[in-house]
């Protein structure tokens, strides 16, 4: 067992003993580590990661009608319209693997999306409400993380050339595949993504804070320490 899994499980023992983690929302600016943390937490809780960014990029790669609309919007660092994203998430939530909960990575990121999700969950008597945990990281660190990020196109492992490089430069440790850099991981597009985050997504944090279902963790620390703190925060919010 890796040191990350050990410390997450140590901190999360009480959470693990509960019936379900329910829907958990990971929030934070571009590069905060939402995807990285989601991949740690799914190992602990055995629930799926639902990343709207990944789903949209899959649509782009497949050339679907949604993907054709999303491609340029993502390239500009803006947000895809709520109705398109909500419909995409609605389809994903129908899959049976969501029964015990799921980790939402990057959704909802507008008040319209949050209202849609809250209404949907409220209409399901057995569903737990969303609890939101935001990962806080300073601007310069975010920029470094975004421009240094590389992804494996096969297993989707996330690397960073500065802080978490692969053993062989440019290639995935697990699959051996050539790593790729996202088109929107440039400094110019990052600035636009930050603008969208401040204007449209920051209010979502206030929305869940007002409902008493929000926590914030310091994301400028080792990955395993952040994961452990998220687990503790979720446990507290679920009480
Ligand atoms: P999306 O893919 O969701 O991008 P994002 O929110 O900008 O977040 P990122 O994926 O860039 O970062 P992350 O927080 O997951 O960080 P990661 O773990 O990879 O969305 C892309 C686009 O799709 C949007 O701009 C929008 O156009 C569209 N979209 C998506 N969802 C939408 C929605 N709901 N509505 C409308 N439009 C939507 O980590 C980053 C790097 O940091 C990695 O290299 C990693 O190795 C490193 N790292 C992580 N943690 C640490 C740590 N603790 N210490 C050091 N390095 C670390």
């Amino acid at each position: 067992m890796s040191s990350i899994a050990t410390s997450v499980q140590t901190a999360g023992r009480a959470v693990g003993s509960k019936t379900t983690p329910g829907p958990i929302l990971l929030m934070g600016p571009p590069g905060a580590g939402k995807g990285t943390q989601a991949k740690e937490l799914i190992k602990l809780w055995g629930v799926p990661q639902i990343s709207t960014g990944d789903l949209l990029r899959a649509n782009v790669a497949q050339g679907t009608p949604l993907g054709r609309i999303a491609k340029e919007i993502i390239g500009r660092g803006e947000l895809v319209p709520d109705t398109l994203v909500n419909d995409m998430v609605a389809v994903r939530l129908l899959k049976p693997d969501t029964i015990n909960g799921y980790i939402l990575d990057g959704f909802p990121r507008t008040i319209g999306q949050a209202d849609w999700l809250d209404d949907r969950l409220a209409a399901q008597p057995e569903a737990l409400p969303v609890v939101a945990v935001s990962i806080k990281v300073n601007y310069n660190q975010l920029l470094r993380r975004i421009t240094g990020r590389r992804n494996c196109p096969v297993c989707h492992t996330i690397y960073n050339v500065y802080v978490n490089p692969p053993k062989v430069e440019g290639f995935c440790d697990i699959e051996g595949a050539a790593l790729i850099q996202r088109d929107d991981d440039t400094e110019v597009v990052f600035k636009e993504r930050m603008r969208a985050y401040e204007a449209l997504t920051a209010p979502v944090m206030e929305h869940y804070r007002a409902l008493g279902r929000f926590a914030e963790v310091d994301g400028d620390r080792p990955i395993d320490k952040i994961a452990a703190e998220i687990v503790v925060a979720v446990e507290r919010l679920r009480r």
Side-chain angles (χ1 to χ4, degrees):
M1 186 180 285
S2 74
S3 61
I4 291 169
T6 305
S7 64
V8 168
Q9 277 185 326
T10 303
R13 196 168 288 137
V15 174
S17 70
K18 290 193 173 184
T19 46
T20 80
I24 294 162
L25 164 57
L26 291 183
M27 301 191 72
K34 303 180 292 294
T36 300
Q37 290 302 324
K39 285 177 175 46
E40 293 306 317
L41 297 169
I42 61 176
K43 286 187 255 172
L44 171 68
W45 280 314
V47 297
Q49 170 193 11
I50 300 181
S51 158
T52 42
D54 286 349
L55 291 173
L56 288 167
R57 281 186 290 277
N59 274 276
V60 172
Q62 290 158 16
T64 67
L66 170 60
R68 286 198 291 276
I69 296 169
K71 189 175 191 305
E72 291 197 359
I73 298 172
I74 294 173
R76 290 196 300 268
E78 297 169 4
L79 296 188
V80 176
D82 286 354
T83 48
L84 297 179
V85 178
N86 293 346
D87 288 351
M88 179 182 75
V89 172
V91 171
R92 179 61 184 87
L93 290 179
L94 292 177
K95 289 197 180 175
D97 63 350
T98 58
I99 189 89
N100 290 324
Y102 38 89
I103 298 179
L104 292 164
D105 163 3
F107 178 92
R109 64 170 89 190
T110 66
I111 289 292
Q113 293 176 13
D115 287 342
W116 176 87
L117 181 67
D118 292 351
D119 289 349
R120 184 189 164 95
L121 293 171
Q124 299 168 356
E126 75 289 359
L128 290 171
V130 167
V131 293
V133 181
S134 177
I135 305 167
K136 194 175 175 188
V137 178
N138 75 51
Y139 186 92
N140 289 338
Q141 196 61 247
L142 291 171
L143 179 58
R144 191 172 149 88
R145 288 186 186 185
I146 287 291
T147 53
R149 174 168 50 192
R150 303 291 183 272
N151 297 80
C152 174
V154 180
C155 68
H156 306 292
T157 298
I158 305 168
Y159 297 91
N160 191 286
V161 296
Y162 303 118
V163 289
N164 178 27
K167 292 191 182 86
V168 178
E169 189 183 337
F171 294 93
C172 177
D173 294 348
I174 301 159
E175 297 291 338
L179 300 178
I180 54 172
Q181 185 169 19
R182 277 169 43 177
D183 292 342
D184 58 345
D185 275 354
T186 63
E187 184 167 353
V188 172
V189 182
F190 167 74
K191 285 180 177 164
E192 289 306 319
R193 289 159 68 190
M194 281 300 288
R195 257 191 275 276
Y197 174 78
E198 298 292 349
L200 299 168
T201 308
V204 178
M205 289 196 276
E206 297 316 313
H207 170 80
Y208 287 113
R209 196 195 300 272
L211 292 170
R213 292 196 255 118
F214 176 80
E216 193 165 60
V217 298
D218 176 4
D220 195 3
R221 291 181 304 150
I223 291 166
D224 59 335
K225 298 280 187 297
I226 301 165
E229 198 181 329
I230 293 173
V231 170
V232 170
V234 169
E235 180 187 18
R236 181 168 47 77
L237 293 170
R238 282 273 177 243
R239 263 188 221 130

